[in-house]
Amino acid sequence: MSAPRLADRDPRIEADELVNSLVPPPRFDDVRFDTYVPNPDEPSQAAAVTACAAFAKRVGGDSGGGWLGSLFGRKSVPEGKLGLYLDGGFGVGKTHLLASIWHAVPGPKAYGTFVELTNLAGVLGFGEAVRRLSEHRLLAIDEFELDDPGDTTLVSRMIKELTGAGVFVAATSNTLPDKLGEGRFAAQDFLREIQAMSARFDVVRVDGPDYRHRGLPDAPEPMTDDELAASAAATPGSTLDDFDALCARLARIHPSRYGRLVDGVAAVHLRGVRPASDQSVALRLVALGDRLYDRDVPVAVSGRPLSELFTDEMLRGGYRKKYLRAVSRLVALSRRQSG
């Protein structure tokens, strides 16, 4: 009997569940500030731990003032910037630090990826999404990016509303806040919105090499189709998909549901992997790779290696950092399955 296919799954998530599911992914359940190991050659990493811990203390320490007032229907807004923005390359532990902030802060609090946040606004409506999130002490946003003008306007408004209501916001990104959208759309047309949003954050830089690849080999060689099918059959809970068919299926599922798509999967097997055919396909593969990495799901492939998933032209374009992060994460997952 052949392994089931991801392409046959139909993940669903209701509106209330969207809000309740805004927590760190399973991979980051147990991370804390003291489990982050700074690279001794990169002093910015130790400094980032200190800055994040101080931010978490500030968020948690507000309970004696403004949050007491919320019991009587009014929450005062703390002074100073309410945002912390972790900027740096991929694989330096920014998500570890973001999740550590979330774990260190008392609730109510929410944690989601940028795409989950924009989808929440789409499902609930902007006003209702802001109303619900305004009840939180902290909103943590992972993979913060602006890929189109609509997102720029929406997120700028949302952060203005939330920080105005006294909600602290922590975010991670591979791009400085005043450079968001650069190289992807006419960012200069939205400069005022971008600058207004970035002014709400203190920026903390996290430098260093990608920890996932320190001293490790390149991507494993792809399996043959027969080897791939045998691996899927030998691993309970695995899925086996033709790469092109899965790409077509992803186009019909909102990226916010990709996590639900791979929940409970022990290993993903992709037959006939080749470079993404266009930018839309590539960005959906980035989102899928992120959700696989969040859940620590091993990946095995036939066809081309995962390091060749994106073309040279894509790697030179505006989404370069996203694609490099995806390669980093997927190659790490493919080593797990091959090992």
Side-chain angles (χ1 to χ4, degrees):
M1 182 177 179
S2 61
R5 303 191 315 158
L6 284 178
D8 293 330
R9 291 188 162 200
D10 185 21
R12 301 282 180 174
I13 184 166
E14 300 300 325
D16 286 341
E17 191 179 359
L18 273 175
V19 179
N20 296 333
S21 65
L22 291 176
V23 299
R27 173 184 281 271
F28 300 99
D29 281 347
D30 299 321
V31 302
R32 299 294 187 273
F33 293 125
D34 59 6
T35 64
Y36 182 94
V37 182
N39 185 334
D41 297 326
E42 299 291 346
S44 68
Q45 295 188 5
V49 175
T50 300
C52 290
F55 180 78
K57 184 176 181 180
R58 184 176 169 224
V59 178
D62 190 50
S63 56
W67 285 86
L68 183 62
S70 68
L71 295 174
F72 303 98
R74 197 171 82 185
K75 180 174 68 176
S76 63
V77 179
E79 295 182 358
K81 293 183 180 181
L82 302 191
L84 182 73
Y85 192 100
L86 294 170
D87 170 65
F90 45 88
V92 295
K94 299 188 304 296
T95 301
H96 183 134
L97 291 172
L98 184 71
S100 297
I101 292 173
W102 190 90
H103 287 300
V105 171
K109 53 190 176 180
Y111 180 112
T113 63
F114 183 81
V115 70
E116 287 171 333
L117 183 63
T118 54
N119 184 55
L120 182 70
V123 172
L124 298 180
F126 179 84
E128 178 64 10
V130 168
R131 186 191 69 78
R132 294 200 186 198
L133 292 174
S134 293
E135 298 170 354
H136 290 65
R137 182 187 297 265
L138 170 73
L139 172 63
I141 309 171
D142 200 16
E143 302 157 20
F144 196 108
E145 271 300 353
L146 298 180
D147 292 337
D148 63 61
D151 285 347
T152 300
T153 302
L154 184 148
V155 175
S156 177
R157 287 181 57 207
M158 180 174 286
I159 289 178
K160 178 182 178 181
E161 295 280 349
L162 293 177
T163 55
V167 179
F168 288 85
V169 178
T172 72
S173 181
N174 298 319
T175 306
L176 285 166
D178 61 350
K179 302 296 184 184
L180 289 165
E182 196 167 72
R184 301 170 196 188
F185 57 88
Q188 65 273 15
D189 294 341
F190 298 87
L191 192 59
R192 184 167 59 183
E193 287 86 348
I194 292 171
Q195 289 178 337
M197 182 173 58
S198 66
R200 300 175 185 276
F201 291 96
D202 285 319
V203 177
V204 173
R205 179 72 187 176
V206 191
D207 294 309
D210 184 348
Y211 78 90
R212 289 181 286 266
H213 300 286
R214 292 175 192 160
L216 294 174
D218 292 333
E221 285 296 314
M223 299 179 178
T224 66
D225 287 350
D226 288 343
E227 290 170 339
L228 191 76
S231 173
T235 309
S238 289
T239 58
L240 175 61
D241 285 83
D242 289 319
F243 179 74
D244 286 345
L246 180 59
C247 288
R249 178 64 176 140
L250 293 178
R252 300 191 294 274
I253 301 173
H254 192 279
S256 64
R257 293 159 58 196
Y258 288 2
R260 180 57 56 86
L261 180 72
V262 299
D263 275 346
V265 174
V268 166
H269 296 75
L270 300 176
R271 183 166 43 216
V273 167
R274 62 187 181 91
S277 57
D278 59 46
Q279 205 90 260
S280 296
V281 172
L283 290 171
R284 286 191 283 268
L285 290 171
V286 169
L288 178 65
D290 286 338
R291 302 294 75 78
L292 291 170
Y293 183 76
D294 288 345
R295 289 154 177 78
D296 204 19
V297 180
V299 178
V301 304
S302 68
R304 302 282 286 276
L306 287 166
S307 56
E308 299 178 13
L309 197 55
F310 308 108
T311 66
D312 289 341
E313 182 181 3
M314 291 174 180
L315 293 176
R316 291 192 299 268
Y319 298 105
R320 176 178 182 274
K321 291 180 179 179
K322 278 194 170 190
Y323 296 147
L324 290 175
R325 184 190 74 220
V327 169
S328 168
R329 291 181 165 188
L330 287 169
V331 168
L333 294 175
S334 68
R335 290 198 193 103
R336 285 205 53 209
Q337 186 63 10
S338 66

